[in-house]
Amino acid sequence: MSQNKGDDAEYMADEYEREDVDNEFHGRERGGSESDVDEYDHLNGTTAAQARSGKDIQGIPWDRLSITREKYRQTRIEQYKNYENIPHSGEGSQKDCKVTKKGSSYYEFRRNSRSVKPAILHFQLRNLVWATSNHDVYLMSHFSVIHWSSLNCTRQEVLNVSGHVAPSEKLPGSLLEGFTQTQVSSLSVKEKLLVAGGFQGELICKHLDRPGVSFCSRTTSDDNAITNAVEIYVSSSGAFHFTASNNDCGVRDFDMEKFQLSKHFQFPWPVNHTSVSPDGKLLTIVGDNPEGMLVDSQTGKTVMTLCGHLDFSFASAWHPDNVTLATGNQDKTCQVWDVRNLSKSVAVLKGNMGAIHSIRYSSDGQYMAMAEAADFVHVYDTKNGYEKEQEIDFFGEIAGISFSPDAESESLFIGVWDPTYASLLEYGRCSPVAGNSTC
């Protein structure tokens, strides 16, 4: 991943300052009079009933802007600058993409909560939203991890890293002096466990049902130490573990009982994301190389190379069937793989304008969601060969996506970062009717 944080900040700023049309889009609300801005909308967002009556789901006052939604969408697609480490990778990947049928409705809009403000600290790292139930979601908001309850529409600060954070438990290997002003680059929340990774290789671990922080560690003293991804998972023994993927080319595995390092694998290039197969036997490794890897989770040895992407990858996910996995790349594609034959991906799914930075499968495997860097989340019906998709269309950089773990009453949360319209979008799974979903 990109190593210069100054360049990252400049890149993000360019996205919002380069065009007059964007200044109109954001400036009207920020600089308008009180009559131009409905403060109630800012605090409460948009409900499903309001959306059905014609209100924009993000509360954007199109009738007061000098541009229509359709024209602004066209302009965004034409002018959005997708970041590429390998020039023209997005153009080269298009020839192999699957043609999918859009227009399906698998998830219906429930609410947009503008009182929740997701944040992104690195433009390539977008796994900062995690749902633990159909109404509980955790996300990064500047220097805080926030818990949002969509049931009660309440938010609570779970962890504040703007000042000094130190562990309250004395565990082997824990840095008792803790950290100050941690810049959180990655996050994972599962069950009652939370792990945050930082720009300087920090790991902060917390039990959500206990006060304070349980464990602090710095994975490496390497100058290029940013923690690109963390993932909590259940090991084959039934114990909770987590993996930390770092820019120093390392992947480290920790148990979550005492937070002790259990494995440390080194790879030839910085690792941007790691995901563990449902049976715990394989790791998907993707990073600063067009080729990904499947490796043995016990030894770290390569089982198979994943060849097909044209740029660096930042996302991966396993289907619950333990056979299918997906990888997301800056070449604007998501590739779906079958571990029984990895000579070629079984599907290449394309984004509209940006890199694929986050991928999630629903808990029952019926759907896969892939998020572009901005504006679009695509939801595919996996049981019908990824032939049909629902395209969720909005405006803003995507901080992360997450399905809740309960399929029957499942929610899909989307974190949106934007100077004006930052919010949390919530969708609910539609009811199945005769083998199809209907809203």
Side-chain angles (χ1 to χ4, degrees):
M1 59 168 288
S2 179
Q3 299 178 19
N4 190 318
K5 285 183 281 183
D7 289 347
D8 302 343
E10 182 179 350
Y11 175 81
M12 290 293 282
D14 286 347
E15 288 299 295
Y16 288 93
E17 296 175 0
R18 69 187 187 281
E19 297 295 338
D20 290 341
V21 67
D22 279 344
N23 291 334
E24 160 69 13
F25 177 72
H26 294 101
R28 180 61 64 91
E29 272 211 15
R30 285 198 302 247
S33 65
E34 289 186 7
S35 61
D36 287 331
V37 183
D38 186 338
E39 186 63 26
Y40 182 84
D41 286 349
H42 269 292
L43 294 175
N44 295 277
T46 306
T47 64
Q50 290 171 323
R52 286 192 294 269
S53 67
K55 181 179 178 180
D56 182 86
I57 63 170
Q58 293 181 272
I60 301 171
W62 295 107
D63 58 334
R64 298 204 290 271
L65 301 180
S66 62
I67 188 170
T68 64
R69 189 187 197 281
E70 292 73 21
K71 180 61 177 176
Y72 187 65
R73 166 52 65 218
Q74 179 184 348
T75 302
R76 282 277 284 178
I77 290 176
E78 291 173 353
Q79 297 179 352
Y80 187 87
K81 183 176 65 175
N82 180 48
Y83 187 88
E84 296 175 339
N85 286 97
I86 299 177
H88 312 297
S89 63
E91 299 169 16
S93 66
Q94 300 303 303
K95 64 181 184 299
D96 297 322
C97 290
K98 188 182 190 73
V99 177
T100 57
K101 183 178 179 181
K102 299 181 180 180
S104 297
S105 295
Y106 306 128
Y107 292 81
E108 62 181 336
F109 175 76
R110 283 181 182 164
R111 177 183 295 273
N112 184 43
S113 303
R114 292 183 67 179
S115 60
V116 189
K117 306 289 187 184
I120 300 167
L121 288 184
H122 193 289
F123 73 95
Q124 291 168 309
L125 306 179
R126 307 297 187 90
N127 291 293
L128 298 171
V129 175
W130 294 86
T132 56
S133 80
N134 65 342
H135 54 77
D136 291 294
V137 62
Y138 294 81
L139 55 99
M140 284 303 306
S141 182
H142 302 294
F143 280 95
S144 296
V145 178
I146 299 295
H147 166 239
W148 170 255
S149 170
S150 63
L151 184 65
N152 303 317
C153 290
T154 57
R155 61 183 176 179
Q156 179 184 7
E157 185 178 73
V158 175
L159 176 66
N160 187 313
V161 295
S162 63
H164 182 239
V165 174
S168 56
E169 301 177 31
K170 294 183 179 181
L171 296 170
S174 188
L175 290 177
L176 300 183
E177 66 271 25
F179 304 117
T180 301
Q181 292 185 328
T182 306
Q183 292 179 290
V184 173
S185 55
S186 49
L187 180 72
S188 184
V189 184
K190 192 166 188 174
E191 299 293 335
K192 295 292 184 181
L193 302 167
L194 178 155
V195 181
F199 272 83
Q200 303 301 319
E202 302 98 333
L203 288 174
I204 300 174
C205 304
K206 175 178 174 59
H207 289 90
L208 295 175
D209 54 357
R210 302 180 194 173
V213 167
S214 297
F215 184 78
C216 289
S217 177
R218 196 180 299 276
T219 56
T220 174
S221 58
D222 193 288
D223 290 339
N224 191 23
I226 186 169
T227 307
N228 294 325
V230 288
E231 180 181 353
I232 299 170
Y233 71 98
V234 181
S235 70
S236 55
S237 68
F240 280 99
H241 281 239
F242 74 89
T243 59
S245 307
N246 280 77
N247 232 41
D248 71 344
C249 307
V251 172
R252 297 164 176 84
D253 187 279
F254 294 80
D255 77 80
M256 292 207 69
E257 182 180 1
K258 299 294 184 180
F259 303 102
Q260 298 304 293
L261 179 66
S262 59
K263 302 181 192 72
H264 179 195
F265 305 137
Q266 286 292 121
F267 297 96
W269 27 259
V271 180
N272 296 328
H273 197 267
T274 302
S275 53
V276 184
S277 63
D279 66 4
K281 294 181 179 179
L282 292 173
L283 300 177
T284 304
I285 308 292
V286 297
D288 285 7
N289 191 292
E291 296 180 354
M293 299 179 186
L294 276 188
V295 306
D296 185 291
S297 66
Q298 298 302 311
T299 66
K301 292 184 178 179
T302 302
V303 174
M304 185 63 71
T305 301
L306 305 176
C307 301
H309 282 300
L310 302 180
D311 209 314
F312 297 172
S313 292
F314 285 85
S316 65
W318 283 84
H319 189 283
D321 66 7
N322 204 62
V323 170
T324 309
L325 65 136
T327 53
N329 194 274
Q330 289 183 155
D331 64 10
K332 302 184 186 179
T333 71
C334 166
Q335 297 209 18
V336 181
W337 309 83
D338 187 320
V339 296
R340 295 166 295 190
N341 182 5
L342 291 168
S343 60
K344 185 179 180 181
S345 61
V346 297
V348 182
L349 307 171
K350 68 175 180 177
N352 292 327
M353 64 184 201
I356 307 305
H357 279 316
S358 188
I359 303 170
R360 296 284 185 269
Y361 280 99
S362 61
S363 60
D364 62 356
Q366 174 71 55
Y367 299 107
M368 185 196 80
M370 73 175 200
E372 300 187 38
D375 290 21
F376 292 100
V377 171
H378 307 263
V379 182
Y380 296 91
D381 182 350
T382 66
K383 292 187 177 179
N384 287 297
Y386 302 83
E387 299 284 348
K388 298 179 180 180
E389 70 165 290
Q390 175 183 359
E391 188 176 83
I392 300 175
D393 176 343
F394 50 93
F395 295 99
E397 297 287 319
I398 299 173
I401 58 173
S402 185
F403 288 112
S404 62
D406 38 5
E408 291 185 2
S409 56
E410 186 181 63
S411 299
L412 170 62
F413 293 96
I414 304 168
V416 181
W417 179 88
D418 184 85
T420 305
Y421 296 102
S423 65
L424 184 69
L425 290 165
E426 179 187 354
Y427 286 77
R429 187 188 284 205
C430 300
S431 302
V433 176
N436 297 307
S437 291
T438 180
C439 291

